[in-house]
Amino acid sequence: MTLISASQAANMLGVSRATFKQLSDLYEFLRIKIGRAIKFPKRDLLDKVDYVATNYQEFLPLDDLL
């Protein structure tokens, strides 16, 4: 299992670290605490992002799209 930091995940997704934090809270990305560090399983993160992107209508009210 490959674990990545929030900064690495944000960079991988092309968003700021602050935006990644909001997304991780909103979509409840799996996180693992190691000491004081919080890491994200890379495969789970990619799977969740793929799922949300594929099923985005479940996650965004229609009003937000207009």
Side-chain angles (χ1 to χ4, degrees), residues 1-4 40-43:
M1 173 185 329
T2 301
L3 300 176
I4 58 175
F40 298 85
K42 186 175 181 180
R43 180 78 266 151

Side-chain angles (χ1 to χ4, degrees), residues 3 7 14 17-18 23 27 33 38 49-50 57 59 65-66:
L3 300 176
S7 295
R17 191 163 182 258
L23 292 172
Y27 296 116
K33 190 168 183 178
I38 295 176
V49 168
D50 183 53
Q57 290 178 344
F59 296 96
L65 299 174
L66 301 176

